[in-house]
Structure formats: C-alpha cells, structure tokens
Amino acid sequence: MTEKEIPAIGIDLGTTNSCVAIYINGRAEIIANDVGERTTPSYVGFKEEEIVVGKTAKLQAHRNYGNTIFDVKRLIGKRYNDKIVQEDIRNWPFTVVNKNGNPELKIKLKNKEVFYCPEQISAIILNKLKEVASNRAEASVTKAVITVPAYFNDSQRHATKDAGKLAGLEVLRLLNEPTAAAIAYALDKSSENCKNALIFDLGGGTFDVSIIQFENRHVTVKAIDGDSHLGGDDFDNRLLDYFVEVIKERFDYDIKEQRRALARLRSACENAKRMLSFQALTQLELDALIDGEDFDAEISRAKFEDLCEDLFQKALDTVRNCVDQSGLQPNEIDDIVLVGGSTRIPRVRELLQEFFDGKHLSNSINPDEAVALGAAIQAANLCSNECQTVEDFVLEDVVPLSLGVETAGGLMNVIIKRNTLLPAVATKCYTTAKDDQPSVNIKIYEGERSLTKDNNLLGELKVTGILPAPAGIPRIDETFYVDENGILSVTATERSSGKSLNLDIHLDKGRLSAEEIRRILQEAELSREQDERYWKIIEAKNELEAYCNRMLRLIPNINMSSPHHYYISEKCKDILLKMRTSKYEDENYLLQKIEDLQVECEAILELYADQEYEEVEN
Ligand code: AMP
C-alpha cells in the first residue's frame, strides 16, 4: 500500500470504552482489537515490566488499583482545582496530583514514582487503537478523526488533539460525537424518510444532545447541548454511595477507607446497573469484601431509578433546551437516535419517549459503534482525494459554547453565539475605559451565563502600545475565529496605531506547550527503545532456553559416548539454572551464548550424524 492509499481511521475515544473504525473497500467497519472485541476499555495499567491497555488493564485493575488509570477523559483539558475534578478524585482509586494547576496521575512502581498528564494516558489508549487499525490495514496508519463530546470546551479539545499528536497521529479533525453518530445514521438506509433527528448520546462520562437536519446529503447540525459530566459513571456513583451507607449500617465499617474494596464494590455496582436494564431486581455478591466477611445485597430497578432520578431529569432538561435552541417543535423531530451504553437504561428511554409524545426511539444504529463509524466515514471523506472516494456528503457543524470577552462589571459580552455554523468568524470593536490608557487586557471566556465569573476563562490577551487618547477613542477590533475542530483563535487589531496583534490565543491553561509535547515524545521514544531492548532480551532468553531444552530432549535418543552426553547435558542444565538464578540482561551476551552453544552442540552431533534419530516432542 502506498502512503496515499493508507486509510485514515475514526476513533471514538470514550470515557469508559473506546472504539476504532476504518473505511475500507467502500464501507466503514469496526476493527476488533487483539482480544477480538469491538470496543476497548479506556483503561491503562502500569506494571513493573510493562504497560497494559484495554481489557487486560481492566481485568488487573482490582489487584493493581493504584496504578490502573481509567476515566481520564474526565480529566483531560481540565484544571486541578476544577470542582468536578475534585469530586472525581475522591472516588478514584488512583492518585491525582496538582502540577502547576494541572492534574497529573501519580504511578508508583517498586523503585520509582512516575507522573503522567491526562494527554499521555489518552495517547497510550490512542496508540493501542492505532496499532489495532494498522494491523487491519496492513500498513502503518497515521491519520485519524477523533471524536469529542459536543460539549467539550476549547481546552478539552486542544488537549485531545495533543493526545493524538503524542500517539503519533495526525488529527485530521475533531468531530463532535453526536455528529459522528449522525453521519453513520444519515448514511444508513433506514434514515431515508427522516429530515430532523435528535441524537441522544449518553455514555459513561458525558452526555450530548444534537439536533441534526438531513437534506440532499447535507448534514446540518441545528443545535447541540449537553453536559460534559453526566453519564453512566454518575449512576454507578449513586449506587456506590448507597451501598457505602448500607455497609456502614450493617457492619459499622467505612469502606471508603479501603481503596481496593471500594474498587471491587464500584465494579459490582456497574454490573448491577447493567443487569437492572434487563431485570427488575439484581444481587450484589462480594466474597470477603469487609475484613474477610462477605457482602451480599439486592437492589431493585425502582430503587436505582429513585437514586438517579434527578440525573435523568437533568438529561431531559438538556433535551428540552436543545429542542428550543434548534427552533423546532418536539413534533418536528422525525427520529430520536440513541447512542452510548447508558441509553439502555429503561427509565432514560421512558422519559425521552414521554417528552416526545410516545414517539418510537430508534435503535437502528449500534450505540457503542456508531460514533467510531461516523468518524471513519468523515476521515475517509476528508482525504477522499488521496485515498478513495466515499459516499458524498456535506457536513455543517456548530460552535458548542458561546464565546466572548469580559466587559465592565464582569459581564460576558458574546462575540460568537453558540450553535453558529462552523467555521465561524466575528469581530467586535472595543475601546478604553480611562484617558491615556496604554493597554487593555482582554479576558476571553466561553459559556452561556451572563456573568463571566460563572463561565470558563479560556485565556487573556494583552493589547499594548495604544497611543495616548481620551477614554472611548481608541478602537480595538477583536476577531474570533473558530475552525472546523471547534478550536478558537483570537486576533486583536488596534486601529489608531494600525498595529495588528494577530495573536492566536495561547492558553497555558490545561494545555501542553509545543515544548512539552516535544519532551514527552522524546521520552516516549526513549521508553519505546527501552521496551524494544527488553523484548529483544526476552526473545533471546526464550531462544536460548528453547535450544537447551531441545538438546536435553534430543540426546537421550542418540547413542552417543558418555563424555559427549555428559558434556551437552551438563552444559545445557547449567545454562538453564543460571538463567533462573542470575539476570542475563544483555542481549548481545545472550546471542553470543546461543551461538557458542549451537557451535559446540552441532559439532558433537555431527559425529553421530549417520544415526537416525528424531526429536521427541514433550
Ligand atoms: P459508552 O461510553 O458509550 O461506551 O458507555 C459506557 C457506559 O454505558 C458505561 O457507564 C456503562 O456502564 C453503561 N452501560 C453499558 N451497558 C449498559 C446497560 N445495559 N445498562 C446500563 N448502562 C449500561
């Protein structure tokens, strides 16, 4: 395959599970991972000798709870002091530390402590998916469309892009998850009669709603809304809190103090939640959970619904808002498309159906796979000139959150309104508040609240060198530009001096600088080299061990002289013993050892070459 023909991939980088798809032979297909599964848990486990990813990491999480990272999507692009980050930290069995205001994961191995930023953890997951895809494509895949929740803010988007870079991927586009699902849906035959669809995407950590219009292969996002912190994990937490209290009452014991037991209880809660989507009652059975004592309990669907009702209502409020924003009436929505594992919860479906007057909820796309499929189609579309032609469609997405600047009194002055079509550009003119003011500080925010203190500060831009003039005379044009990825850049032009600052906003907040990305990549290269060395040593050890064992199996079948027999057998046994007791850590030494042994053994065997003997398999 030439480089031009290597397909780009679509990656759904989920909070709980991730999924990768490729557009190949004229259609998008999900790629199964190395254990044959179509989704990969977003788990990374650090062990002494290796880093495990996906199911292997999830399976060892109970034993290695402090060094197994999950939910990293909840951290990416966020500040350490973020209220929600602080809440999450209390529930996680791993350690998050404050590094210059940004969260970092602390991994404790036998001899050292290592720190990873969330982007690096996501990069490890992305890298795994890239590998899986490269195996399928039989070529090294380097280009991808990665999906993000529509409600991801600017820092979260930047951080996700950085994670892609760290994984050695050229991120062709960040695509909103519901939009990706809509693409998969739009190109599905069952959507032929649908004009307006509401995509309801409730996953493990995030919730997105989008209203999409399909017209003549034009996919237009009419409105998006959502909550970057609402999903299955929150329902698990409600169950977890409930059982923590049950245990307190029953055993007078605070399980929150025991991280390992808490991790087991959490996983049992998630299981119970899943069961309750299909049955009215389920059991939790955890052997030796509390100081050797078993914990058994049951929970009903009604109780679960009661524990989570406010969260479900919150999701419904978001749907209501989104429909309002789109300018459509609920009865103008033709299809309601469910995406994300948490849409299997019956109460969620019930509330949604009630809101839309009993309308049928569409299950025609696989909720776990639609996002990755849509991303793969978009990836192929973006490089269709290079690789292959893909079903043609035009996609128009929107700005997820209003963007603006702070004006006097801490007011949010919106420059680009949310739900404006992408790419979006707008300019507003500002002036000074005092006479002869030499500079102004522009604070850039995103959010829907009228006071900036309630919105998210993206960064600050200082315009200096304004010529002396009375207040209100200088003119400063601020131009906001949001690209197709939903990423913002700001330019400020001071008219009196004619000086254009042309500054992209460089927000240090929760971002990796180009320098940091370079450093991390260098470190990754170093550890990749270390890993390769390690594997080469293992391979050489295996080869040496296999050769010794082969000789030991072979010589009893040859009628050879006792000294020769003794020599080979002692030599091989000695090597095997040494391999067990001492550390052969030098690949070259091992390779030399193999060669020497082979030369000696072959020379002796040569003497008995006329004998007919066969190797005996163990
Ligand atoms: P996603 O991020 O879309 O893979 O969604 C994963 C979330 O869906 C996790 O919180 C799962 O616990 C949840 N989930 C998966 N299956 C079910 C189910 N049958 N009932 C309730 N929640 C589920």
Side-chain angles (χ1 to χ4, degrees):
M1 230 181 247
T2 66
E3 205 195 313
K4 278 192 166 181
E5 289 164 339
I6 300 171
I9 52 174
I11 298 179
D12 169 8
L13 183 61
T15 312
T16 333
N17 293 301
S18 296
C19 187
V20 57
I22 197 161
Y23 195 90
I24 221 163
N25 303 329
R27 55 182 283 274
E29 65 173 53
I30 297 291
I31 311 169
N33 60 23
D34 45 2
V35 290
E37 292 180 351
R38 293 162 73 86
T39 57
T40 300
S42 305
Y43 275 64
V44 178
F46 293 85
K47 297 165 71 173
E48 282 302 322
E49 61 299 345
E50 61 180 332
I51 298 175
V52 285
V53 186
K55 192 164 187 181
T56 329
K58 192 171 180 182
L59 288 176
Q60 54 86 68
H62 290 152
R63 274 170 282 123
N64 189 22
Y65 50 91
N67 284 338
T68 303
I69 313 298
F70 53 91
D71 272 359
V72 73
K73 192 169 169 182
R74 286 183 176 247
L75 274 180
I76 204 158
K78 296 230 181 105
R79 303 283 284 172
Y80 180 81
N81 284 331
D82 184 301
K83 210 175 106 228
I84 293 168
V85 166
Q86 287 304 309
E87 269 171 33
D88 280 336
I89 287 176
R90 257 178 268 133
N91 282 322
W92 283 325
F94 45 84
T95 308
V96 183
V97 296
N98 184 349
K99 170 93 182 294
N100 304 327
N102 295 325
E104 280 207 348
L105 288 313
K106 181 159 111 180
I107 308 299
K108 246 175 130 175
L109 297 173
K110 213 186 285 167
N111 298 322
K112 55 183 187 297
E113 281 181 348
V114 201
F115 296 89
Y116 285 84
C117 61
E119 289 89 328
Q120 281 174 290
I121 305 287
S122 292
I124 294 172
I125 300 167
L126 287 171
N127 201 36
K128 173 84 185 174
L129 300 172
K130 182 177 126 183
E131 255 176 49
V132 165
S134 297
N135 285 340
R136 168 67 183 87
E138 294 176 352
S140 174
V141 169
T142 53
K143 292 179 186 172
V145 166
I146 302 178
T147 60
V148 288
Y151 237 62
F152 250 23
N153 67 28
D154 201 63
S155 344
Q156 291 165 306
R157 282 169 196 266
H158 264 278
T160 306
K161 233 179 157 191
D162 286 347
K165 271 188 221 159
L166 291 178
L169 286 169
E170 180 192 334
V171 182
L172 297 172
R173 182 72 52 88
L174 293 176
L175 185 62
N176 290 330
E177 284 162 13
T179 311
I183 292 172
Y185 184 73
L187 300 184
D188 191 87
K189 298 288 166 273
S190 65
S191 64
E192 267 163 12
N193 297 326
C194 168
K195 243 186 93 197
N196 300 311
L198 179 132
I199 317 282
F200 182 95
D201 181 355
L202 189 59
T206 55
F207 171 49
D208 277 321
V209 191
S210 292
I211 293 173
I212 318 258
Q213 197 164 65
F214 307 111
E215 219 159 7
N216 303 329
R217 306 210 78 67
H218 240 84
V219 182
T220 310
V221 183
K222 299 287 288 176
I224 54 182
D225 211 319
D227 189 330
S228 61
H229 205 279
L230 180 64
D233 295 349
D234 299 288
F235 313 142
D236 299 347
N237 282 339
R238 288 288 167 90
L239 276 179
L240 186 68
D241 289 345
Y242 170 73
F243 283 113
V244 165
E245 288 307 314
V246 170
I247 289 169
K248 241 184 224 160
E249 271 176 33
R250 209 187 287 176
F251 298 89
D252 190 22
Y253 181 88
D254 186 4
I255 197 171
K256 282 208 159 176
E257 303 290 316
Q258 300 297 323
R259 291 203 301 171
R260 181 165 186 206
L262 194 68
R264 287 181 63 205
L265 183 61
R266 165 186 298 284
S267 152
C269 286
E270 198 216 337
N271 251 334
K273 174 192 74 175
R274 288 176 182 247
M275 298 311 289
L276 290 174
S277 292
F278 307 104
Q279 55 200 49
L281 196 69
T282 190
Q283 263 77 32
L284 262 76
E285 287 169 7
L286 288 146
D287 293 343
L289 182 73
I290 299 139
D291 277 345
E293 276 203 66
D294 299 346
F295 175 65
D296 295 340
E298 64 177 28
I299 176 117
S300 66
R301 185 188 287 169
K303 182 69 195 172
F304 168 67
E305 290 175 355
D306 186 38
L307 291 170
C308 299
E309 183 64 16
D310 61 318
L311 298 175
F312 299 155
Q313 289 293 345
K314 204 168 154 196
L316 195 67
D317 286 345
T318 308
V319 169
R320 200 171 285 124
N321 271 340
C322 193
V323 175
D324 275 357
Q325 286 273 328
S326 72
L328 297 168
Q329 294 301 317
N331 62 7
E332 290 177 277
I333 306 285
D334 305 301
D335 272 357
I336 299 136
V337 184
L338 303 180
V339 186
S342 300
T343 56
R344 296 193 175 96
I345 297 173
R347 179 67 182 147
V348 169
R349 291 172 173 234
E350 189 180 278
L351 284 171
L352 204 53
Q353 209 159 20
E354 267 171 27
F355 179 76
F356 286 102
D357 245 354
K359 188 166 275 166
H360 170 74
L361 308 178
S362 172
N363 286 318
S364 72
I365 52 174
N366 182 325
D368 300 325
E369 299 179 355
V371 172
L373 287 173
I377 297 170
Q378 172 71 336
N381 204 313
L382 286 172
C383 57
S384 60
N385 296 337
E386 291 175 36
C387 338
Q388 49 192 321
T389 39
V390 60
E391 265 196 275
D392 204 23
F393 67 93
V394 181
L395 172 67
E396 291 184 337
D397 215 333
V398 293
V399 178
L401 293 164
S402 298
L403 297 157
V405 296
E406 184 178 75
T407 50
L411 290 180
M412 172 82 173
N413 190 276
V414 172
I415 295 188
I416 295 182
K417 268 178 86 168
R418 80 191 247 233
N419 289 330
T420 307
L421 279 184
L422 288 176
V425 64
T427 303
K428 269 197 180 179
C429 185
Y430 295 89
T431 186
T432 48
K434 291 185 199 139
D435 291 343
D436 300 332
Q437 193 175 319
S439 65
V440 287
N441 218 13
I442 304 164
K443 283 187 172 173
I444 298 149
Y445 286 85
E446 65 185 356
E448 308 313 311
R449 307 285 294 272
S450 50
L451 294 180
T452 51
K453 74 175 175 52
D454 300 320
N455 289 331
N456 182 31
L457 176 66
L458 290 175
E460 292 183 38
L461 192 68
K462 195 168 175 140
V463 181
T464 53
I466 302 172
L467 297 178
I473 295 298
R475 292 278 174 269
I476 300 147
D477 290 324
E478 284 163 30
T479 302
F480 277 40
Y481 173 71
V482 188
D483 69 11
E484 289 89 346
N485 300 303
I487 289 179
L488 168 73
S489 54
V490 178
T491 313
T493 314
E494 204 274 286
R495 281 195 216 165
S496 67
S497 63
K499 221 167 48 183
S500 168
L501 284 183
N502 279 340
L503 289 175
D504 275 354
I505 47 167
H506 288 298
L507 312 166
D508 338 306
K509 231 173 68 77
R511 296 278 174 74
L512 296 179
S513 65
E515 187 47 48
E516 271 171 312
I517 291 186
R518 233 184 341 267
R519 177 184 60 77
I520 293 172
L521 283 174
Q522 268 166 6
E523 280 172 10
E525 181 61 20
L526 270 180
S527 53
R528 194 180 57 76
E529 282 169 13
Q530 266 169 11
D531 286 352
E532 271 174 16
R533 258 203 311 278
Y534 174 76
W535 284 115
K536 280 189 179 151
I537 291 169
I538 300 274
E539 271 170 22
K541 275 185 181 171
N542 286 343
E543 195 181 332
L544 182 57
E545 191 176 335
Y547 190 80
C548 290
N549 285 328
R550 197 164 81 83
M551 284 301 122
L552 290 172
R553 282 200 305 269
L554 191 63
I555 51 174
N557 302 312
I558 305 171
N559 189 11
M560 62 170 54
S561 74
S562 300
H564 280 156
H565 187 285
Y566 182 78
Y567 183 81
I568 294 185
S569 117
E570 283 309 298
K571 183 110 196 168
C572 291
K573 282 184 193 160
D574 182 53
I575 290 176
L576 289 175
L577 185 71
K578 281 210 180 103
M579 277 177 59
R580 243 168 277 140
T581 52
S582 68
K583 281 191 174 172
Y584 282 138
E585 295 301 1
D586 183 337
E587 187 202 351
N588 289 335
Y589 175 79
L590 283 161
L591 292 177
Q592 190 60 51
K593 201 95 192 143
I594 298 170
E595 199 182 323
D596 292 349
L597 182 65
Q598 279 174 342
V599 169
E600 282 184 90
C601 292
E602 300 303 325
I604 296 175
L605 292 177
E606 189 64 33
L607 300 174
Y608 303 94
D610 55 343
Q611 282 190 26
E612 285 195 355
Y613 56 84
E614 277 181 6
E615 188 177 334
V616 191
E617 279 300 330
N618 265 345

